[in-house]
Amino acid sequence: MRTFAIVNCKTLIFYIVLGILTSMPSNVSGWNWEKKDSLILPRIYAYPQYHQPYTDTITDNIYIKLRFNVEKRNATLWLIPSMYSLAKDERQYIRETYSKFMYTDEHNFDIVSQVKAGTIRHNRNAMPTLIDMVTPKIYDESLYDGHILSPFHRANRRLYKYRQNTNHGDGTTRIDFTPKLYNTQLLDGYAIIETETGRILRTVFNGEFDMINFRTELNYSNKGGRFIIPWRSSTAATFKFAGNRISANLASVHNCKAELPDSIPWAEGKATMDTLRPIPLTVEEEELYERTEDYFPAPPAPEDTITKKPNFFKKIFWDTIGETLVTPIRAESQQTYFRLSPIIDPLAIRYSDSRGFSYKMKLRFQYTFSKHRYLTLNPYFGYNFKIKQFFFDAPLRMTYNPKRNGYAELTVGNGNRISNSTVAELIKEEFGDTLDFTNMEMNKFNNTYIRAFNNIMLFDWLDLESGLVFHRRSAVNKTMMTRYDMPTVYTSFAPMIGIKILPWPKGPIFTFTWERGIKNVFSSNISYERWESDAQWKIRMPGLRTLSLRTGYGTYSLREQNYFVDFDNFQETNLPDGWDDDWTGDFQLLNGSEFNRSNYYIRANATYESPLMIASWLPYVGKYIEKERFYINSVLLERSRPYYEIGYGFTNRYISVAGFASFKNTHFERVGFKFDFEIFRRW
């Protein structure tokens, strides 16, 4: 009986305690960490679709303040684009801008600076990547134009783990998100959501972007279509590279009221900014301005000859020559824009197995006559170390009807060395010479070309291009060509017509070209007729995945000799651009002489690109793999068995690398690789 009584007492106490616990509120603060709303994420994904942002009417004034603290620095900081300004002098800086903010559509916007002030020498920009963090596109697949996968987009749900906590007191839900895989393309943080609608009110997240570790806080407005623009944002960032360490704080305020003209002179920047600033400076920031005299140009002080010479040398050498070596040269006015890439630039170095190392620089120039008429000159030039030759390509374009893609263009260049395999064959056949020409470059010709053509969009789906093409091909080994009484120069002159068809937006692009070489015009000595067709389709898929497809056919309907079979779609460009230019739809290991001997070709290429595919899951190194690609290339030539290439590549903040293996029919031939530097490409 005593045992039974004890058991009943314990049972009674248990039920009393249980009743007390179940009658208490779940959380004294109002948050409910247990009850889940299965529709909260779908509401977030759907919110932009049901609430149009009305971006065509959004024009803002935005104030941005940047604080820099150079904690550690060494000589390598001078070589980083835009960081030259922080490599000397003070260790703390401030920079302020007041700008016009305009949305071009719901995914893109422009920021035009009107007032600038700061303590960086000559008011230069520094660490421009931080400006992207002012207005991240949280409802898009990526926050920063192809980088950092947003946790608030449906396509990225598979990459994140979510935990929700509901606050019944104010009708909000807190969503905590963490990546399933640690990678620089993913974030961790939380967001406060309006439970009923799914609208994001506030979010805080941590991540890495282009060698910058950051923590960003965004607060959003509730005024109509402005939900995609944070009315206030703040970012704390740290940049580390080669022993350098720089911390930065960024703050921005949208929807400022003051309207200003397009620009205000730099000398008036600080005084004007004092009247515009929506948030006050801290005591430390005021002191930065007070102890720095370089935030506006002061009149030159009288100096004697002994003092003037070293100051002049320092200004010319360090501020002019030194900066030109490592930073782009820019100049801009109301009508003119000019930009020259740095002389010392790791991004200009390129390597591929077939073309070797090359170094390239770019020039961008535009002169605007009116809104619908402007002149552009966008040459590139450089040096290829494998064939020891300087290359250039200089297109001069006059755009006269941008709405109809109407422009006239004149291009002069020599960036396409060509092979002529029949020259050596003719020498052996005619002279019976058994000499081995393999290492004598008998089949190599430098190619200088001039193209003059006009393009116009006849319909929304049809472009017509027509013009003239002139080639002057000169033998690399002129001595041996003269020895065997062979011409050292071949020239051709040809009218051409091209048609480009885009059946529907974001669909495939079909091109058809015809070119007819005519003898005895400008001393031309080659007659031919060439037809080519090409189809390319870049299919965008959710999650920043892309499938690129390409197929084409080309043939010569007239060819007197086998000299210079120069198919447009197989030209070897010695100075191509990087990962996003020709790595897709190109043959990396195919020797140019193979298709220059063929009367026709049939090609097919496919490339699949995706972030976080295979290598991203590798320990230690996988977190730095941002995008990966698989390549399959094939071509059928007249004198060759079917040729195939398969390849794999990846890119990250430092470098892009791809490896390829080639096959003829089912027989393995060789392997090769190519790489480009990506480091500081967005700087």
Side-chain angles (χ1 to χ4, degrees):
M1 294 295 294
R2 179 176 297 178
T3 303
F4 178 79
I6 293 174
V7 171
N8 277 286
C9 288
K10 290 182 178 180
T11 304
L12 180 61
I13 293 171
F14 171 80
Y15 280 111
I16 291 173
V17 173
L18 180 63
I20 294 173
L21 291 176
T22 55
S23 64
M24 292 177 63
S26 59
N27 192 297
V28 293
S29 65
W31 292 103
N32 185 345
W33 293 74
E34 297 180 357
K35 187 178 180 180
K36 304 299 180 184
D37 184 350
S38 60
L39 298 179
I40 188 66
L41 287 175
R43 290 193 200 106
I44 298 173
Y45 305 147
Y47 189 84
Q49 302 173 10
Y50 292 104
H51 300 78
Q52 293 299 322
Y54 310 114
T55 54
D56 56 337
T57 61
I58 294 181
T59 300
D60 254 346
N61 298 299
I62 178 174
Y63 167 80
I64 302 173
K65 179 175 66 175
L66 271 165
R67 278 279 308 276
F68 296 101
N69 181 22
V70 183
E71 300 174 14
K72 296 180 181 179
R73 65 185 176 193
N74 54 50
T76 60
L77 196 61
W78 293 68
L79 303 178
I80 302 174
S82 82
M83 301 299 283
Y84 172 89
S85 304
L86 308 184
K88 57 180 181 177
D89 299 333
E90 302 292 333
R91 288 184 175 270
Q92 293 188 351
Y93 300 87
I94 183 173
R95 191 172 194 272
E96 300 176 277
T97 60
Y98 193 89
S99 309
K100 181 73 71 176
F101 179 95
M102 297 165 289
Y103 259 97
T104 54
D105 58 55
E106 60 182 299
H107 302 287
N108 300 286
F109 55 83
D110 292 326
I111 297 179
V112 180
S113 295
Q114 296 172 294
V115 183
K116 300 177 183 178
T119 63
I120 299 176
R121 182 180 293 272
H122 304 307
N123 207 18
R124 294 186 179 97
N125 194 8
M127 210 182 295
T129 307
L130 288 174
I131 301 301
D132 292 332
M133 299 180 180
V134 172
T135 310
K137 304 166 187 176
I138 59 171
Y139 289 102
D140 285 5
E141 287 186 337
S142 64
L143 298 181
Y144 312 117
D145 292 328
H147 301 273
I148 309 293
L149 300 172
S150 172
F152 308 114
H153 193 278
R154 189 185 305 274
N156 302 326
R157 183 172 183 173
R158 61 187 176 85
L159 303 173
Y160 286 96
K161 295 182 290 186
Y162 300 90
R163 184 186 180 194
Q164 60 176 273
N165 316 305
T166 303
N167 189 330
H168 298 290
D170 59 5
T172 62
T173 297
R174 170 170 166 156
I175 300 289
D176 289 79
F177 49 87
T178 55
K180 294 181 179 179
L181 169 70
Y182 182 46
N183 188 274
T184 56
Q185 287 277 58
L186 302 176
L187 303 165
D188 69 87
Y190 69 90
I192 305 300
I193 311 297
E194 191 175 63
T195 306
E196 185 177 352
T197 64
R199 179 167 63 90
I200 298 173
L201 304 175
R202 176 174 173 265
T203 181
V204 178
F205 49 77
N206 308 284
E208 298 180 47
F209 178 53
D210 210 0
M211 287 175 292
I212 295 176
N213 291 277
F214 65 91
R215 178 178 177 84
T216 296
E217 178 178 346
L218 306 170
N219 292 274
Y220 287 86
S221 170
N222 59 355
K223 297 180 180 179
R226 306 185 64 86
F227 66 88
I228 59 174
I229 305 175
W231 70 276
R232 279 203 177 190
S233 72
S234 62
T235 296
T238 303
F239 167 75
K240 298 178 183 178
F241 178 76
N244 299 286
R245 179 185 174 95
I246 299 174
S247 59
N249 287 280
L250 179 150
S252 70
V253 180
H254 270 270
N255 201 24
C256 299
K257 301 303 181 183
E259 296 290 340
L260 298 175
D262 291 339
S263 63
I264 290 179
W266 172 28
E268 302 175 14
K270 175 60 167 58
T272 306
M273 191 66 74
D274 288 338
T275 65
L276 299 173
R277 192 179 295 114
I279 52 178
L281 297 177
T282 64
V283 174
E284 293 81 4
E285 292 165 349
E286 291 282 7
E287 291 177 351
L288 281 178
Y289 272 116
E290 291 175 2
R291 69 171 182 258
T292 306
E293 299 178 355
D294 287 332
Y295 65 82
F296 61 87
E303 296 175 334
D304 54 37
T305 306
I306 298 177
T307 307
K308 190 173 183 178
K309 285 184 177 179
N311 285 345
F312 176 80
F313 173 80
K314 179 181 178 181
K315 178 177 180 58
I316 295 298
F317 184 79
W318 293 112
D319 290 351
T320 304
I321 298 176
E323 185 174 7
T324 302
L325 291 175
V326 297
T327 60
I329 302 174
R330 291 187 180 93
E332 188 172 0
S333 66
Q334 188 173 0
Q335 290 181 296
T336 307
Y337 172 81
F338 175 90
R339 184 186 188 277
L340 177 65
S341 59
I343 297 174
I344 300 176
D345 184 5
L347 296 177
I349 300 174
R350 179 122 190 246
Y351 175 82
S352 71
D353 190 72
S354 60
R355 302 183 182 99
F357 281 97
S358 61
Y359 188 86
K360 180 172 69 173
M361 296 180 64
K362 294 180 181 180
L363 171 68
R364 295 292 179 262
F365 172 81
Q366 178 171 316
Y367 184 83
T368 303
F369 297 94
S370 65
K371 184 178 180 180
H372 302 292
R373 193 159 59 96
Y374 45 89
L375 182 71
T376 57
L377 175 63
N378 298 324
Y380 65 76
F381 44 91
Y383 187 79
N384 186 285
F385 294 89
K386 184 175 183 178
I387 60 179
K388 299 180 177 63
Q389 186 174 353
F390 173 81
F391 286 95
F392 70 93
D393 185 271
L396 178 65
R397 176 180 294 190
M398 180 66 191
T399 301
Y400 56 84
N401 189 349
K403 289 185 178 181
R404 306 304 301 177
N405 199 25
Y407 61 87
E409 184 172 292
L410 175 67
T411 302
V412 181
N414 69 340
N416 175 29
R417 174 175 280 198
I418 190 170
S419 301
N420 184 347
S421 59
T422 59
V423 171
E425 295 174 1
L426 288 173
I427 291 175
K428 290 182 179 181
E429 181 180 340
E430 183 173 348
F431 295 93
D433 204 323
T434 58
L435 187 65
D436 184 7
F437 296 117
T438 304
N439 298 319
M440 295 186 179
E441 295 189 320
M442 290 290 291
N443 64 332
K444 298 294 184 182
F445 286 76
N446 295 323
N447 178 22
T448 301
Y449 52 86
I450 302 174
R451 298 179 74 243
F453 64 94
N454 180 79
N455 187 90
I456 189 69
M457 182 190 295
L458 301 178
F459 305 99
D460 291 342
W461 50 272
L462 177 64
D463 273 38
L464 176 64
E465 180 181 275
S466 58
L468 302 171
V469 182
F470 176 81
H471 288 271
R472 185 182 186 274
R473 301 175 174 97
S474 58
V476 172
N477 194 336
K478 291 184 173 62
T479 302
M480 292 297 294
M481 294 289 284
T482 304
R483 174 180 172 181
Y484 289 99
D485 198 27
M486 297 292 292
T488 59
V489 176
Y490 294 87
T491 59
S492 66
F493 172 85
M496 57 84 65
I497 296 176
I499 297 175
K500 182 184 294 183
I501 300 174
L502 179 63
W504 64 87
K506 299 182 180 181
I509 300 175
F510 299 94
T511 59
F512 304 90
T513 58
W514 168 85
E515 189 174 307
R516 175 66 184 261
I518 304 174
K519 277 188 173 182
N520 302 320
V521 179
F522 297 110
S523 302
S524 63
N525 54 10
I526 298 178
S527 179
Y528 65 91
E529 185 174 43
R530 187 180 73 240
W531 303 80
E532 285 188 84
S533 62
D534 192 73
Q536 299 185 48
W537 194 3
K538 184 171 285 189
I539 304 172
R540 307 284 185 181
M541 297 182 289
L544 297 182
R545 294 172 294 164
T546 304
L547 177 63
S548 299
L549 304 174
R550 183 177 185 182
T551 184
Y553 171 76
T555 186
Y556 275 79
S557 58
L558 171 64
R559 189 174 63 182
E560 292 184 356
Q561 307 98 354
N562 286 328
Y563 299 156
F564 309 114
V565 180
D566 192 11
F567 290 114
D568 274 347
N569 293 330
F570 277 102
Q571 289 184 353
E572 285 195 62
T573 303
N574 290 281
L575 299 172
D577 272 329
W579 174 267
D580 291 324
D581 179 41
D582 73 327
W583 288 45
T584 295
D586 195 13
F587 291 87
Q588 307 298 331
L589 305 178
L590 181 61
N591 194 310
S593 62
E594 291 288 337
F595 53 81
N596 280 333
R597 300 175 59 191
S598 179
N599 195 46
Y600 69 87
Y601 71 85
I602 302 173
R603 68 180 295 168
N605 307 76
T607 305
Y608 177 73
E609 176 182 286
S610 175
L612 310 178
M613 192 159 41
I614 296 176
S616 304
W617 296 86
L618 296 175
Y620 304 111
V621 298
K623 66 179 181 179
Y624 299 110
I625 305 299
E626 296 181 356
K627 290 184 180 179
E628 301 170 75
R629 279 183 183 167
F630 285 103
Y631 304 84
I632 301 178
N633 304 317
S634 64
V635 63
L636 178 64
L637 302 172
E638 181 183 9
R639 299 189 181 186
S640 175
R641 294 171 293 179
Y643 173 87
Y644 304 95
E645 282 182 5
I646 59 173
Y648 166 81
F650 68 85
T651 185
N652 59 23
R653 66 184 71 174
Y654 303 107
I655 195 171
S656 293
V657 181
F660 298 88
S662 63
F663 302 84
K664 276 191 176 179
N665 217 351
T666 57
H667 301 286
F668 169 77
E669 277 206 320
R670 65 192 183 104
V671 297
F673 71 98
K674 65 189 303 183
F675 73 82
D676 275 328
F677 286 107
E678 301 291 339
I679 188 170
F680 303 119
R681 186 174 293 277
R682 292 182 290 270
W683 290 57

